[in-house]
Amino acid sequence: MIGTSWGGLNALSRVVAGLPATFALPIVVVQHRSPDAAGFLAELLQAHTGLCVVEVDDKRPIVAGYVYVAPANYHLLIERGFFSLSTDAPVRYSRPSIDVTFVSAADEYGRRTVGVVLTGANEDGSLGLKRIADRGGYAIVQDPATAEGAAMPRAALRAVPKAHVVPLDRIASQLISIAPPRPPAEYRVRAPLT
Amino acid sequence: MTVSATEPTATGRRREDHGVVPGSRPSTNESATAPLSYDPELERLEIELLLEGIYRHYGFDFRSYAYASIRRRLWRRIEAEGLKTVSSLQDRLLHEPAMMERVLLDLSINVTAMFRDPTFYLAFRQKVVPLLRTYPFIRIWHAGCSTGEEVYSMAILLEEEGLYERARIYATDINEVVVHRARAGIFPLERMQEYTENYIRAGGTRSFSEYYIAKYDGALFSPALQRNVVFSQHNLVTDRSFAEFNVILCRNVLIYFARDLQTRVHGLFHESLVHLGILCLGSKETLRLSTFESSYEELSSAEKIYRKVR
Ligand SMILES: C[S@@+](CC[C@H](N)C(=O)[O-])C[C@H]1O[C@@H](n2cnc3c(N)ncnc32)[C@H](O)[C@@H]1O
């Protein structure tokens, strides 16, 4: 789970560029952007990675080998093995809300969840990251000194003081070091779509 | 039994539904989630029991709705009522119809907008309208129309394309409160600027302000737009098809359903469409994941407009 806002495109590109196409965990990206932004974020990220980047359609299965991007103007919820979307009211002015996605991931996947809060100019993500940490998941916060917007990582650190503080250029290698060496059997099948 | 909420409740909710107004304070109970001490498996069991109770006692079937979203909505209500467990909410709503009314409003997420996703309406004008011109009479079904913004948008579009006279629009929703509001045709004045921008981007050919008059803080839409519209209550889960349609629009409703229920409702749509009838889904809903994929061809893959071919 990666959440970001202001400065996020640059930071996200750096992170996904550092991951191998065989990376064993599915990656979910929640980035704030304007309600009518079309699917450009997925296209832009695709240029930086061998993983498949897709914008999430409702009920899409969650599979390793993919970077899933939350669509603009919907909340992205994590269910057992698939996604649901919702048009609930924005939370803290945001839809998608990082908190909403992180909390639902923590509640469904518990210890198996990794939360990463990157650059951003608001405080979204901190409640969600706390939930992930409280449920025994792994919390990473981009070192605010390396963030274009330090407010979001700072807020996340206030909420989760024990989170791992990692400079932007080392986040990918940190993720590789905690991921299983190869996809667990349940993830190994590629999604039949796209 | 039919549950319908009183106007004040509905009005209070609308504000929240329309998102946080800039400058306003975000609502306080945002966590909308179980306390940490709550066992997730027990939570799931309690939620299943509660939904079973609602179904057996009141007839509303939310048992096959998407779990993550139902859970969020229920916890909001549990927190707002100062309760601690899902079971305590179940106790209250089974014994107090007024509580059931509130929960019903919670569970039907009514967020909507006029010309929501302007590019959809643009694609509809370009790809669907030419097909509709070949019919002498057009039946349209808006399933899950909420407070009706989408219906008035379609009426305006058809009017401008010269097709409204031969159209009949059936607009339905599970929730009587929103159907009632849809019939009234009054929308918040403060949203007219946004809607005007949407209207223009959706390919509107006139001046949007021609269609409404300002009344207090509401915009009252021209009753003429309603002359060929029938609003009524209809539940996609439990009610049958009621006509044959040339166009069915069901946008941002199926996202609240689990896969099995989506498939069932797609069956209902399939049997309710004429041959070569048009199905329009929300911009993030897809037929690709359903068993009905091969029954349709895509008219616009980006805007999720499909045509029934078998
Ligand atoms: C998010 S709104 C969508 C409104 C509009 N179609 C749009 O896209 O802007 C979802 C609507 O689906 C309705 N709904 C939920 N369950 C339903 C059911 N079983 N049958 C009919 N309508 C339902 C809700 O009451 C709500 O008004």
Side-chain angles (χ1 to χ4, degrees):
Chain A
M1 304 285 131
I2 306 181
T4 180
S5 167
W6 176 256
L9 176 59
N10 190 19
L12 282 169
S13 308
R14 301 271 297 276
V15 173
V16 296
L19 298 173
T22 55
F23 188 66
L25 300 176
I27 298 168
V28 180
V29 169
V30 183
Q31 152 138 56
H32 297 158
R33 53 206 196 280
S34 107
D36 29 57
F40 298 127
L41 179 60
E43 277 170 43
L44 293 170
L45 288 181
Q46 188 63 78
H48 296 271
T49 175
L51 295 157
C52 286
V53 187
V54 293
E55 203 173 80
V56 177
D57 274 324
D58 181 52
K59 301 298 176 301
R60 187 171 180 126
I62 304 176
V63 184
Y66 282 86
V67 177
Y68 298 100
V69 176
N73 221 4
Y74 290 84
H75 290 305
L76 179 66
L77 299 166
I78 311 291
E79 313 252 14
R80 280 191 187 159
F82 60 94
F83 295 102
S84 280
L85 299 174
S86 146
T87 58
D88 261 22
V91 174
R92 295 211 244 182
Y93 315 109
S94 302
R95 191 174 58 201
S97 147
I98 302 169
D99 284 336
V100 168
T101 304
F102 278 25
V103 166
S104 75
D107 285 352
E108 207 52 72
Y109 283 94
R111 289 187 299 115
R112 297 196 284 156
T113 318
V114 181
V116 185
V117 173
L118 299 177
T119 165
N122 55 57
E123 307 204 334
D124 190 16
S126 56
L127 286 177
L129 193 70
K130 180 163 177 354
R131 187 78 174 180
I132 289 175
D134 286 345
R135 287 243 183 253
Y138 195 92
I140 298 177
V141 175
Q142 178 181 358
D143 181 350
T146 69
E148 276 178 63
M152 204 149 104
R154 282 217 184 93
L157 275 176
R158 273 199 302 280
V160 191
K162 285 189 295 192
H164 298 82
V165 184
V166 184
L168 179 59
D169 56 6
R170 293 227 305 275
I171 290 179
S173 51
Q174 181 94 3
L175 289 172
I176 293 167
S177 75
I178 58 173
R182 60 207 207 99
E186 69 201 86
Y187 289 143
R188 220 172 291 149
V189 189
R190 281 227 152 188
L193 302 164
T194 17
Chain B
M1 165 181 179
T2 306
V3 168
S4 60
T6 51
E7 272 304 295
T9 323
T11 316
R13 243 182 76 75
R14 267 185 81 74
R15 264 186 219 285
E16 168 200 316
D17 275 346
H18 288 144
V20 184
V21 183
S24 76
R25 283 185 350 159
S27 72
T28 46
N29 58 341
E30 268 171 359
S31 62
T33 183
L36 211 53
S37 57
Y38 226 94
D39 171 2
E41 292 309 317
L42 183 59
E43 179 189 12
R44 196 178 275 266
L45 171 65
E46 286 183 86
I47 289 178
E48 283 172 9
L49 291 173
L50 176 142
L51 297 179
E52 185 68 28
I54 291 179
Y55 174 61
R56 303 255 297 265
H57 191 58
Y58 292 103
F60 292 104
D61 193 355
F62 291 105
R63 295 173 302 172
S64 303
Y65 277 48
Y67 180 72
S69 179
I70 287 273
R71 169 164 69 182
R72 260 194 102 228
R73 307 295 314 189
L74 289 178
W75 277 106
R76 279 192 142 173
R77 177 53 49 201
I78 293 166
E79 287 170 16
E81 303 291 338
L83 301 170
K84 293 274 182 293
T85 63
V86 180
S87 302
S88 57
L89 180 66
Q90 172 182 321
D91 182 21
R92 292 282 300 275
L93 66 80
L94 288 179
H95 293 281
E96 297 167 33
M99 178 66 87
M100 183 60 222
E101 289 179 6
R102 296 207 280 283
V103 172
L104 186 65
L105 283 175
D106 292 331
L107 293 182
S108 70
I109 296 160
N110 306 118
V111 188
T112 185
M114 290 191 78
F115 296 100
R116 175 183 192 160
D117 308 320
T119 49
F120 163 76
Y121 288 90
L122 200 55
F124 193 96
R125 269 184 206 263
Q126 289 163 352
K127 304 225 161 112
V128 180
V129 163
L131 302 174
L132 297 183
R133 287 196 197 291
T134 63
Y135 294 107
F137 188 73
I138 313 160
R139 265 205 205 93
I140 301 178
W141 180 14
H142 277 273
C145 67
S146 188
T147 38
E149 281 82 339
E150 196 178 65
V151 180
Y152 288 83
S153 307
M154 183 55 68
I156 288 172
L157 188 158
L158 294 172
E159 180 82 55
E160 293 182 359
E161 296 293 341
L163 288 174
Y164 189 78
E165 254 357 292
R166 58 174 111 157
R168 176 66 42 101
I169 301 179
Y170 299 82
T172 64
D173 199 282
I174 185 179
N175 181 332
E176 281 198 350
V177 178
V178 294
V179 173
H180 183 78
R181 299 179 72 97
R183 222 175 264 132
I186 303 172
F187 303 124
L189 203 52
E190 81 246 17
R191 299 200 76 190
M192 289 306 130
Q193 193 186 340
E194 172 199 343
Y195 291 172
T196 305
E197 285 161 20
N198 285 355
Y199 166 78
I200 294 167
R201 290 174 52 212
T205 56
R206 300 188 196 162
S207 157
F208 188 59
S209 56
E210 280 178 29
Y211 294 107
Y212 64 88
I213 49 169
K215 253 191 140 188
Y216 308 106
D217 57 352
L220 171 64
F221 276 74
S222 160
L225 289 172
Q226 254 198 60
R227 65 189 187 278
N228 292 341
V229 182
V230 180
F231 288 104
S232 63
Q233 200 236 20
H234 179 276
N235 185 341
L236 288 168
V237 183
T238 45
D239 295 338
R240 310 284 307 257
S241 169
F242 53 94
E244 279 222 306
F245 297 96
N246 304 97
V247 182
I248 296 178
L249 300 101
C250 184
R251 311 192 70 226
N252 303 306
V253 180
L254 298 180
I255 51 176
Y256 298 103
F257 297 177
R259 281 283 284 283
D260 290 359
L261 180 54
Q262 290 186 344
T263 303
R264 250 164 65 205
V265 176
H266 273 307
L268 176 69
F269 291 158
H270 187 259
E271 78 178 58
S272 307
L273 274 175
V274 301
H275 181 59
L276 299 182
I278 308 291
L279 176 65
C280 304
L281 302 177
S283 56
K284 292 293 144 197
E285 294 164 329
T286 175
L287 264 180
R288 274 195 308 171
L289 298 165
S290 91
T291 46
F292 285 93
E293 176 175 9
S294 59
S295 307
Y296 293 86
E297 65 180 19
E298 284 181 349
L299 283 187
S300 163
S301 65
E303 302 301 340
K304 307 292 156 62
I305 303 177
Y306 302 90
R307 175 152 72 158
K308 174 174 160 182
V309 288
R310 63 179 69 84

